[in-house]
Amino acid sequence: MSTFIKDFIERETVNRRNFLLATAAGMGAMAVPFAFGGGAARAAISDPAIAWSYRDRASAYWNSVVSGGEAFVESLGKSKDSLVSLINEGSSEKSLADIKAFLAKTGGKCAIACDANDSPNARPVVEAVRDAGAYISTIWNKTDDLHPWDIGDNYVSHMTWSDEKPAEQTARILFDAMGGKGGVVHLGGIAANNPAIERLNGLKNALKDFPDIQLLDAQPADWDTTKGTELMASFLTRFGDKITGVHCANDNIAYGVIEALRAEGIENMPIVAYDGNPEAVKLVMDGKLLATVFTNPHWGGGITAALAYYAATGAFKPSEEPKEHREFYGPTVLVTKKDAADFKAKYLDAVPSYNWKDFWGPSNGQIKYK
Amino acid sequence: MPRILTRENAIRWAPFMVLLALIVLFTAINPSFLSQRNFARIAIAAAPALMVAVGVTFIIVMGSIDLSMEGVVSLTAVLFCFLMLALGGTLASGGWVAIPVILAVGAAIGLVNGFIHVKLKIPSFMASLALGFVGTGAAILLTGGDIVKFNDPTFRALLTWRILGFPLMVYVAGLCLVLAWFIQSHTRLGRYFYAVGGGEELAHASGVRVQHVRMAGFSLAGFFYAIAAILQVAKLGQAESVTGSNFMFMSITSVVVGGVALWGGIGGVWNTLVGVLIVAVINNGMVVIGLPDFLQAAVLGLLVIIAVILSTDRRAVAFVK
């Protein structure tokens, strides 16, 4: 039996080697005609098609990202409709399939901005783009071992946001408002989400410098307003007057917390939030929230498309850029009462017009891995 | 003297006993659970959910199912806010007109739901689920994914104005519950629901116009979903395309835990009230006793199974599908 298996494996191995050799020979022969004409011109695509691949249109966040992408294509003198939306609806399979379809349709003459939906999906996506000779820039999701400089010029850049430091800043603002003592509760996002973990870590970092402040409890409210109210009501039963400050993982939760407190007639509880949504900024101006954090999704949406586009046209060569221009953090803007009015005027009342060739101006340094 | 401790009585009162046992359990672990202020918090959490659950109770009593509640609540909540703002933004300035309009819209959506189910002969499960998605989609379309804030202080008195320690919305929900009980027990329509749920062919043979009863039932459910939407806006001061999320699980679980049989004909709105309170007490109590968050979902699931075991007469049915 064992000899049979051994023979079989040997035969199959030889066959595969022959097959590979034959394939390589074939490929080589195919490459010859291109060796003189096509090769050099491949680096520059004169008018690449532009696409944004993202999750859904039902959220203010992604709507803002897409508005940035549209602002960028308009800066090229094209119509808004020339930005192709590839909506993955939370499915990594659909994300990859849509991108492959777009690559096939454009024959690789395209620039793609993309959130790969989850981290493991980023590698097949960027490899498909590289194999087609197109260009891609990604945001949010990629594994720590995947780097643009390992893939080549076709993987232009990756941007993400680090929430730990800003969440620590909001916590410090909260603790100062609490007079450096008392009890704080944290209402978090979906427990396994990376931003939820980072935002809680930020709170814990700030706690180290405030020994008289106790973290009473941290529970997930799933980024949701209704869950936020109900969790806050339960916290009030459990801790009562011991709660003197509330740290929320996002604005939506904070809206719920404010309503739970309103029902109890509690008016001036110090609360901080995250995301910088227009309603939250208004609450900061009204003094109902102490602070929130804005990540400028409009700029993120435009600049990600711009990076892929200008690398495709050959306006710059990614491999000649330093690493902090290939993997970097996006901007975070802390919004507090004293700057909320300015912030609203600058970012919300009228969308600022950005220079889409200033790729790294507002960015926040090279990504660090733990 | 009639015997009190019969098997039938035990099953009838089992959901209520489960509720009492939970209150005793949570109070034993953290005495602050048993306070008027906490009961008011539980009541606020339960009021909109109760309206959704009462609506779906009629459908389940008929032996059908309605899964459109999340979409209908989101859509009616968003429409309610837009209409209120269009009518001047306050109850006093003519915004009150929005209330009957939205209740009518809810009933109309329910009627469409019933029509699709009955006339196009699509199972209620599928018809209502699909219509729910349409509702959520319409809410996204209307809001563009944004939040609609609505903060008229007169309207928000539903949350902020308290009588005997409980907010006004709790009494409104209570009144609507009494209305539902009246429909269930003192109208012909209510009796027809039970007739259809107990045996559709028999009801048909007895001259009940089953199709009409079904459509009326779905319309009534839609009406109650719209009440839930208005209470939810009163509770949160805002509406968005996800305002209705979580109501599907919450309401169906409550109805079943309260002792309404999914195969139809058994139970009623009082069972639903107890079921909603059980689920709300569990949700509140788990945080109050400080249960770690990673255990909460599992404990909720286990408690639901235990409550269903105790509160339904499974010997009375030949099989469960």
Side-chain angles (χ1 to χ4, degrees), chain A residues 242-297:
Chain A
K242 277 195 235 162
I243 302 173
T244 55
V246 185
H247 191 262
C248 305
N250 78 347
D251 292 340
N252 288 359
I253 296 172
Y255 306 150
V257 168
I258 290 170
E259 295 309 323
L261 294 171
R262 187 200 297 267
E264 308 280 336
I266 301 171
E267 285 291 334
N268 39 21
M269 176 76 78
I271 307 166
V272 292
Y274 206 108
D275 278 351
N277 286 328
E279 291 83 8
V281 173
K282 198 161 168 298
L283 288 169
V284 172
M285 291 169 73
D286 296 345
K288 302 261 181 201
L289 272 180
L290 285 173
T292 182
V293 178
F294 180 67
T295 53
N296 205 346

Side-chain angles (χ1 to χ4, degrees), chain A residues 6-71:
Chain A
K6 210 170 123 201
D7 290 351
F8 178 79
I9 291 172
E10 206 164 329
R11 201 172 67 236
E12 288 300 301
T13 317
V14 170
N15 279 354
R16 193 176 308 148
R17 191 178 302 142
N18 286 346
F19 173 74
L20 287 174
L21 283 173
T23 313
M27 299 274 270
M30 277 171 68
V32 171
F34 295 99
F36 301 98
R42 201 78 187 90
I45 303 169
S46 62
D47 185 24
I50 310 165
W52 236 116
S53 166
Y54 58 98
R55 188 170 304 136
D56 61 35
R57 277 222 91 140
S59 83
Y61 180 83
W62 287 112
N63 280 343
S64 186
V65 166
V66 174
S67 76
E70 287 170 349

Side-chain angles (χ1 to χ4, degrees), chain A residues 124-141:
Chain A
V125 164
V126 299
E127 286 179 353
V129 170
R130 176 196 59 194
D131 295 347
Y135 290 80
I136 186 165
S137 285
T138 56
I139 64 170
W140 284 119
N141 283 294

Side-chain angles (χ1 to χ4, degrees), chain B:
Chain B
M1 193 179 129
R3 282 181 60 202
I4 294 170
L5 266 176
T6 59
R7 189 166 169 280
E8 206 172 274
N9 266 343
I11 285 166
R12 180 180 298 162
W13 289 96
F16 190 66
M17 291 299 153
V18 169
L19 178 61
L20 285 185
L22 284 168
I23 292 173
V24 170
L25 174 76
F26 289 134
T27 308
I29 299 174
N30 184 347
S32 58
F33 179 86
L34 190 72
S35 61
Q36 186 275 326
R37 291 183 76 87
N38 193 41
F39 286 166
R41 285 164 196 148
I42 293 172
I44 295 170
L50 176 66
M51 292 298 97
V52 175
V54 162
V56 80
T57 301
F58 294 123
I59 308 296
I60 291 180
V61 161
M62 284 195 296
S64 298
I65 192 84
D66 185 351
L67 301 179
S68 66
M69 59 280 278
E70 297 195 344
V72 177
V73 169
S74 295
L75 179 58
T76 47
V78 166
L79 284 173
F80 178 69
C81 283
F82 278 135
L83 199 54
M84 271 285 192
L85 293 172
L87 290 169
T90 59
L91 273 187
S93 71
W96 62 269
V97 176
I99 295 174
V101 170
I102 288 305
L103 295 180
V105 168
I109 297 174
L111 195 62
V112 171
N113 199 355
F115 185 84
I116 295 172
H117 163 49
V118 172
K119 296 292 181 190
L120 303 181
K121 294 194 191 305
I122 296 174
S124 57
F125 174 88
M126 213 54 237
S128 61
L129 189 63
L131 201 74
F133 288 142
V134 172
T136 307
I140 292 174
L141 205 63
L142 284 169
T143 59
D146 289 335
I147 294 169
V148 193
K149 284 264 174 202
F150 176 63
N151 258 326
D152 171 30
T154 327
F155 176 68
R156 296 302 302 280
L158 280 167
L159 178 73
T160 52
W161 194 37
R162 293 194 178 219
I163 304 166
L164 300 174
F166 287 89
L168 196 55
M169 64 188 288
V170 175
Y171 296 95
V172 171
L175 275 179
C176 294
L177 180 68
V178 171
L179 172 70
W181 166 77
F182 182 82
I183 294 171
Q184 170 194 298
S185 303
H186 293 275
T187 64
R188 193 179 293 172
L189 185 64
R191 287 199 296 279
Y192 285 170
F193 288 151
Y194 284 92
V196 171
E200 192 164 339
E201 287 85 358
L202 204 61
H204 184 69
S206 315
V208 176
R209 300 167 83 182
V210 173
Q211 293 199 336
H212 288 194
V213 172
R214 282 198 184 279
M215 290 209 281
F218 277 96
S219 187
L220 193 59
F223 174 80
F224 276 95
Y225 299 160
I227 299 175
I230 293 171
L231 294 185
Q232 187 74 354
V233 173
K235 185 169 112 178
L236 299 176
Q238 65 179 49
E240 55 183 319
S241 53
V242 296
T243 297
S245 50
N246 297 323
F247 276 127
M248 192 193 294
F249 174 79
M250 172 87 181
S251 59
I252 304 275
T253 308
S254 304
V255 168
V256 174
V257 165
V260 180
L262 276 177
W263 44 87
I266 302 168
V269 294
W270 299 116
N271 296 78
T272 300
L273 171 67
V274 174
V276 168
L277 289 178
I278 288 176
V279 175
V281 160
I282 292 174
N283 275 331
N284 173 279
M286 286 194 303
V287 178
V288 171
I289 65 171
L291 204 65
D293 59 84
F294 50 88
L295 285 177
Q296 288 183 8
V299 170
L300 178 66
L302 280 178
L303 288 174
V304 165
I305 291 174
I306 293 170
V308 173
I309 290 173
L310 292 177
S311 62
T312 47
D313 189 358
R314 280 153 301 114
R315 211 191 282 175
V317 286
F319 58 89
V320 173
K321 49 186 175 177

Side-chain angles (χ1 to χ4, degrees), chain A residues 3 8 18 25-26 33 47 70 72-73 81 101 152 155 169 187 216 239 291 297-298 302 304 333 341 366 369:
Chain A
T3 49
F8 178 79
N18 286 346
D47 185 24
E70 287 170 349
F72 164 68
V73 297
D81 304 338
Y155 188 4
Q169 283 176 307
L187 294 89
L216 296 168
F239 300 113
H298 179 87
T304 308
V333 182
Q366 192 180 342
Y369 298 97

